[in-house]
Amino acid sequence: MAAAKTTADDTIADQIAQMQDDLAAIQADVASLTEIAAKNPDDTLIAALLDDAKAQETLAQDKLADAQKQADAVADAPTMAAVTDLTDAVTQDAAATADALTQADRDVSDGQTKSDANLDAAKTAADVALADNIAQIKQNISDIQDDIATLTDLQDKNPGNTVIANLLADAQTQLAESQQSLADVTNLANQVEDQPTLADVQKIVDAAQTQTDYSDGDETQAQTDVDKAQAESNAKLNDAKQAATTAANQALQDIQQSIAGIQEDIRQLEQLVTDNPGDTTIANALADAQAQLDTAQATQTDAQQQAAKIAAATTLADVTAVTYQIAHDEASAGVDKEDADAALATGQQKSAENLAAAKDAAKQDLQDNIDAIQNNVAEIQKIVETITDIANKNPNDADIRAALTNAQNQLDKANDALTDAKQQLATVDDAKTLAQVAEKTAAGDADEKRSDQAVADAQTELKQAGAKSADNLADAVADAMKQADASLAAIQADIEQIKDDISQIRAIAAKNPDNQKIADLLADANMQLTEAQSRYQAAQAAKTELQDKNQTTTLADVTEKLQTISDKTTAADVDRKQADQDLANAKVAAADDLADAKQQATDAINQQLDRIDEQIKQIAQDIADLNDLAKQHPDSQAVKDALADAKQQLGDAQDAKQTAQDQLQQIGQATTPDAVNNLNDAAQAAGGAVTDAVKAANQDLADAKAAVANEMATAKDAAKDAVQQQINQLTDNVKQIQDIVDQLQNLVNQHPGNQALADKLASAQTQLKAAQQALDNARDQLAAIDAATTPADIAKAVNQIKVDQVVGQQALQTAQRLLADAQTIVAGLSTTATVVQAVSAGQTVPASAMLAYTVPQTVAVPGPVVTVTTTGAPEYRWAGMPVTSIDQATPAVGQTIGERTLAGAAAYRALDNKGARIQDRRVALSDINQTQQQDSHASLLRHGWRMPYYLSGRFMNDWHLNAANVATLLFFGTFLGWFFLPAKKKENEEE
């Protein structure tokens, strides 16, 4: 038997190994078919073959599992026949697995054959499709080339048209892109045979079709380019015709206008020929203008013929040629007009030159007449003046006066001739003809002759008056000498007056050394003195000449010398008046200078006082800022020193202000600019002192701020170091409290339902929150120290942190006390006391002890029954009757166990350690759900509950029980257990 089993084991093991190999081979077939199916996603046959191969795989797996099961059963086979049956079963499984492999191999072969056929068919179809694509692309290329030819022709007909040029360039781009598409599709066609899968073949087909679509788009775009170019060409031709027609009409109008202008030129030239007979230049200009008219009229005829050709033009070049010729005709007519205008200008210029030459000659002749007449008038005027002078010197001489009258008459005649000659000259330009010019020249010659005669007559009168005057010369000289002496005396008096003026101006200048105007006036007065002295010398020289008979031979000489003396006398008087004016001006300038100096000084001092006031305000502000710093930093000696100095600067500034005000008051009494300037300098110096004071006060403030900043930085560093130590202490407090909370949580977990422990835990968690809040606040205070601006801010933050430290320490102490209390509570608890143990010991459990349980099961105890639902809401029963609350059940339980009747559950729980150990352990749900036994005591003991606690004195002490009560409870509990348990068991069985 053992040998048979051994043989069977070996045989089965070999067969299982073969089955495993077959299964692996089938799985390889499935993998192959999976790959083939992936390459042929739409082939239902291959998909069916794959499904079949997977079915063979499943069959082989089942057979292998069955064989392994048979192999496991050999050891327990009771007979040889059983061993043989097991071996035969494995042999059958092996044969079925081998058949499955054969079928899977066949599936793979069939699938591969079908896949190859699919691939060949796809390649054949791809070759056809790509051949069609190539043919289509080639046709597109041919069409695009035709389009390009059309566009090239349109471009040739529209040179310079960028729209058509761009369209041609775009068509050429489409050709290049289609040619690239052809190359790409040709290349793809060569790759079809090398593709290993349908998907690869399809990718080539799709790519080729994409390129064909691109080429179709290229051909469509090229045709669109042709259409657009043709439309552009037509539009440009129409525009060109319209523009050419408009230009032609305008050109014809311009040509007609040119012809009209030439005709007007001819009319004017004909008049010029009439006005300038015998002038060949003007005659030639007229002939040239007539030739220009003939040429312009011929040009007009050609332009009209060219305009008629515009409507029949078929290309822009035709329109351009016509337009060019018309423009040429227009320009030619314009040139003809310009030439005619030039001929007219030549004629006009020559005519104007002829008339201008005649006028110039006439003007010169007339001017010569006028010059001669003016000389005659001047000569006669001198004669009249001489005779007048002689007459003035001989007031009782009738002959001289008669000669003067006659001479004046000759002067009037000469002036009349001069007036007429000037009139002729003034109207020369008004002459329109050479004849009119000649008339004016003749009139001028006649005027000159009349003036010549007047001169001769006046000279005769002068000779007669001169002869008569000689007799009176001696008397004239004597009279002149007297006048000369008087004049010299007057000049000397003027000189003395000028000297006095200079002396006064010099004194004024000394008081106003910086006044250039006064200096200039002094210089001018000195110049007047020099001029007056020079005039005195000249007058003295004239007097000397007057006495010299060789130099004074006529009354004219006497008059001349006397006039010289008179002129010098008059000039000297002017010099004196100018010196007087210089003195007056110097006095005004000095007064103005003093007034200006006072005003400028007043303005400057007032401005300085304004600045002083502003600077005093600045110092006061510095003091206010320093006072603020002193309040914020009462212990800073630097701030105290800076404040004291700033106050001193304020006092100095106020003293300087008073000084400036004093100078301002004294300006009114100053008599010279220097005195005024000295007062202003003193006021400005006071202002400088105030500036120094404000700078010092500003520096005091800056120094105080810098000192405060340094002190604050030092205080912050010290505070942050101390605070960080307190934060570290608080961090340690939080850690210790967290450890206490963790310990309390463990105690609560170990003693679920113990409210006292839960309360301790909740209190400890409250302390943890308080400590954490204190730590967070301390960290906030650390940030507050960084942001602090005063020592008070730092002290506030530090004091707050001290409070936080106290809070943290108190929280730790409280938590430690809570832990100690909890540990004391736990030390008094029994770790094995349970409700069920109390029940098994026959004790009545107060309903309040059951409140902590949440198992969805009714626990039967001798006394109140507590049902805790799945929602955690308890239901209470007493002796099988429901009660509304634990408060109704508690007094009865208390009476049953001999306790005092209490007002309710709250008061009952208030008793020291009431039921504490009863609630120590939770009944496991798995224990409750197990089948309960007939004997409730035995059932509870079976589930691990023990009785040492109840048999000891601790249970009785905890519940204040005596022996009689215990005996009564045990008896009553046993009775209730036997009474209720069978019914409960029946309910369980029915469930």
PDB file of all heavy atoms in Angstrom, residues 752-767:
ATOM      1  N   PRO A 752     -12.486  52.556  31.017  1.00  0.00           N
ATOM      2  CA  PRO A 752     -13.556  53.263  30.305  1.00  0.00           C
ATOM      3  C   PRO A 752     -14.795  53.421  31.168  1.00  0.00           C
ATOM      4  O   PRO A 752     -15.148  52.534  31.927  1.00  0.00           O
ATOM      5  CB  PRO A 752     -13.789  52.371  29.086  1.00  0.00           C
ATOM      6  CG  PRO A 752     -13.327  51.025  29.515  1.00  0.00           C
ATOM      7  CD  PRO A 752     -12.154  51.231  30.410  1.00  0.00           C
ATOM      8  N   GLY A 753     -15.445  54.546  30.994  1.00  0.00           N
ATOM      9  CA  GLY A 753     -16.661  54.788  31.748  1.00  0.00           C
ATOM     10  C   GLY A 753     -16.440  55.422  33.086  1.00  0.00           C
ATOM     11  O   GLY A 753     -17.400  55.808  33.752  1.00  0.00           O
ATOM     12  N   ASN A 754     -15.206  55.556  33.504  1.00  0.00           N
ATOM     13  CA  ASN A 754     -14.926  56.164  34.801  1.00  0.00           C
ATOM     14  C   ASN A 754     -14.972  57.682  34.623  1.00  0.00           C
ATOM     15  O   ASN A 754     -14.059  58.290  34.053  1.00  0.00           O
ATOM     16  CB  ASN A 754     -13.552  55.718  35.317  1.00  0.00           C
ATOM     17  CG  ASN A 754     -13.353  56.137  36.773  1.00  0.00           C
ATOM     18  OD1 ASN A 754     -13.479  57.310  37.100  1.00  0.00           O
ATOM     19  ND2 ASN A 754     -13.070  55.188  37.631  1.00  0.00           N
ATOM     20  N   GLN A 755     -16.068  58.271  35.102  1.00  0.00           N
ATOM     21  CA  GLN A 755     -16.283  59.697  34.878  1.00  0.00           C
ATOM     22  C   GLN A 755     -15.245  60.550  35.607  1.00  0.00           C
ATOM     23  O   GLN A 755     -14.848  61.605  35.128  1.00  0.00           O
ATOM     24  CB  GLN A 755     -17.697  60.085  35.331  1.00  0.00           C
ATOM     25  CG  GLN A 755     -18.091  61.507  34.945  1.00  0.00           C
ATOM     26  CD  GLN A 755     -18.042  61.715  33.453  1.00  0.00           C
ATOM     27  OE1 GLN A 755     -18.489  60.840  32.708  1.00  0.00           O
ATOM     28  NE2 GLN A 755     -17.450  62.821  33.012  1.00  0.00           N
ATOM     29  N   ALA A 756     -14.840  60.084  36.749  1.00  0.00           N
ATOM     30  CA  ALA A 756     -13.857  60.846  37.514  1.00  0.00           C
ATOM     31  C   ALA A 756     -12.556  60.972  36.728  1.00  0.00           C
ATOM     32  O   ALA A 756     -11.962  62.053  36.629  1.00  0.00           O
ATOM     33  CB  ALA A 756     -13.600  60.180  38.869  1.00  0.00           C
ATOM     34  N   LEU A 757     -12.131  59.840  36.133  1.00  0.00           N
ATOM     35  CA  LEU A 757     -10.907  59.890  35.311  1.00  0.00           C
ATOM     36  C   LEU A 757     -11.140  60.759  34.083  1.00  0.00           C
ATOM     37  O   LEU A 757     -10.262  61.527  33.658  1.00  0.00           O
ATOM     38  CB  LEU A 757     -10.489  58.472  34.893  1.00  0.00           C
ATOM     39  CG  LEU A 757      -9.979  57.563  36.025  1.00  0.00           C
ATOM     40  CD1 LEU A 757      -9.657  56.188  35.481  1.00  0.00           C
ATOM     41  CD2 LEU A 757      -8.746  58.161  36.681  1.00  0.00           C
ATOM     42  N   ALA A 758     -12.310  60.612  33.468  1.00  0.00           N
ATOM     43  CA  ALA A 758     -12.618  61.421  32.278  1.00  0.00           C
ATOM     44  C   ALA A 758     -12.587  62.906  32.628  1.00  0.00           C
ATOM     45  O   ALA A 758     -12.107  63.740  31.851  1.00  0.00           O
ATOM     46  CB  ALA A 758     -13.976  61.028  31.713  1.00  0.00           C
ATOM     47  N   ASP A 759     -13.110  63.264  33.799  1.00  0.00           N
ATOM     48  CA  ASP A 759     -13.085  64.662  34.220  1.00  0.00           C
ATOM     49  C   ASP A 759     -11.662  65.143  34.411  1.00  0.00           C
ATOM     50  O   ASP A 759     -11.318  66.276  34.056  1.00  0.00           O
ATOM     51  CB  ASP A 759     -13.872  64.826  35.524  1.00  0.00           C
ATOM     52  CG  ASP A 759     -15.364  64.608  35.306  1.00  0.00           C
ATOM     53  OD1 ASP A 759     -15.810  64.656  34.133  1.00  0.00           O
ATOM     54  OD2 ASP A 759     -16.076  64.376  36.300  1.00  0.00           O
ATOM     55  N   LYS A 760     -10.838  64.262  35.010  1.00  0.00           N
ATOM     56  CA  LYS A 760      -9.419  64.641  35.192  1.00  0.00           C
ATOM     57  C   LYS A 760      -8.769  64.875  33.840  1.00  0.00           C
ATOM     58  O   LYS A 760      -7.996  65.827  33.655  1.00  0.00           O
ATOM     59  CB  LYS A 760      -8.669  63.541  35.965  1.00  0.00           C
ATOM     60  CG  LYS A 760      -9.214  63.249  37.349  1.00  0.00           C
ATOM     61  CD  LYS A 760      -9.169  64.463  38.269  1.00  0.00           C
ATOM     62  CE  LYS A 760      -9.712  64.115  39.684  1.00  0.00           C
ATOM     63  NZ  LYS A 760      -9.754  65.295  40.552  1.00  0.00           N
ATOM     64  N   LEU A 761      -9.060  63.986  32.889  1.00  0.00           N
ATOM     65  CA  LEU A 761      -8.488  64.134  31.550  1.00  0.00           C
ATOM     66  C   LEU A 761      -8.953  65.449  30.907  1.00  0.00           C
ATOM     67  O   LEU A 761      -8.144  66.194  30.321  1.00  0.00           O
ATOM     68  CB  LEU A 761      -8.899  62.950  30.661  1.00  0.00           C
ATOM     69  CG  LEU A 761      -8.505  63.061  29.180  1.00  0.00           C
ATOM     70  CD1 LEU A 761      -6.990  63.167  29.023  1.00  0.00           C
ATOM     71  CD2 LEU A 761      -9.031  61.854  28.393  1.00  0.00           C
ATOM     72  N   ALA A 762     -10.247  65.720  31.003  1.00  0.00           N
ATOM     73  CA  ALA A 762     -10.771  66.950  30.403  1.00  0.00           C
ATOM     74  C   ALA A 762     -10.118  68.176  31.046  1.00  0.00           C
ATOM     75  O   ALA A 762      -9.748  69.142  30.353  1.00  0.00           O
ATOM     76  CB  ALA A 762     -12.287  67.008  30.571  1.00  0.00           C
ATOM     77  N   SER A 763      -9.964  68.133  32.373  1.00  0.00           N
ATOM     78  CA  SER A 763      -9.327  69.265  33.052  1.00  0.00           C
ATOM     79  C   SER A 763      -7.881  69.415  32.611  1.00  0.00           C
ATOM     80  O   SER A 763      -7.380  70.524  32.381  1.00  0.00           O
ATOM     81  CB  SER A 763      -9.405  69.070  34.569  1.00  0.00           C
ATOM     82  OG  SER A 763     -10.765  69.074  35.002  1.00  0.00           O
ATOM     83  N   ALA A 764      -7.190  68.279  32.479  1.00  0.00           N
ATOM     84  CA  ALA A 764      -5.787  68.330  32.040  1.00  0.00           C
ATOM     85  C   ALA A 764      -5.690  68.869  30.622  1.00  0.00           C
ATOM     86  O   ALA A 764      -4.775  69.642  30.291  1.00  0.00           O
ATOM     87  CB  ALA A 764      -5.161  66.938  32.124  1.00  0.00           C
ATOM     88  N   GLN A 765      -6.641  68.465  29.756  1.00  0.00           N
ATOM     89  CA  GLN A 765      -6.642  69.000  28.381  1.00  0.00           C
ATOM     90  C   GLN A 765      -6.882  70.507  28.391  1.00  0.00           C
ATOM     91  O   GLN A 765      -6.312  71.240  27.582  1.00  0.00           O
ATOM     92  CB  GLN A 765      -7.710  68.284  27.546  1.00  0.00           C
ATOM     93  CG  GLN A 765      -7.358  66.830  27.265  1.00  0.00           C
ATOM     94  CD  GLN A 765      -8.505  66.067  26.628  1.00  0.00           C
ATOM     95  OE1 GLN A 765      -9.662  66.430  26.832  1.00  0.00           O
ATOM     96  NE2 GLN A 765      -8.188  64.991  25.908  1.00  0.00           N
ATOM     97  N   THR A 766      -7.731  70.944  29.323  1.00  0.00           N
ATOM     98  CA  THR A 766      -7.953  72.390  29.452  1.00  0.00           C
ATOM     99  C   THR A 766      -6.655  73.093  29.849  1.00  0.00           C
ATOM    100  O   THR A 766      -6.318  74.160  29.325  1.00  0.00           O
ATOM    101  CB  THR A 766      -9.039  72.656  30.499  1.00  0.00           C
ATOM    102  OG1 THR A 766     -10.255  72.044  30.072  1.00  0.00           O
ATOM    103  CG2 THR A 766      -9.266  74.156  30.677  1.00  0.00           C
ATOM    104  N   GLN A 767      -5.910  72.474  30.786  1.00  0.00           N
ATOM    105  CA  GLN A 767      -4.631  73.044  31.198  1.00  0.00           C
ATOM    106  C   GLN A 767      -3.644  73.049  30.031  1.00  0.00           C
ATOM    107  O   GLN A 767      -2.849  73.984  29.871  1.00  0.00           O
ATOM    108  CB  GLN A 767      -4.054  72.261  32.389  1.00  0.00           C
ATOM    109  CG  GLN A 767      -4.941  72.276  33.623  1.00  0.00           C
ATOM    110  CD  GLN A 767      -5.335  73.678  34.040  1.00  0.00           C
ATOM    111  OE1 GLN A 767      -4.485  74.577  34.069  1.00  0.00           O
ATOM    112  NE2 GLN A 767      -6.612  73.882  34.359  1.00  0.00           N
TER     113      GLN A 767
END
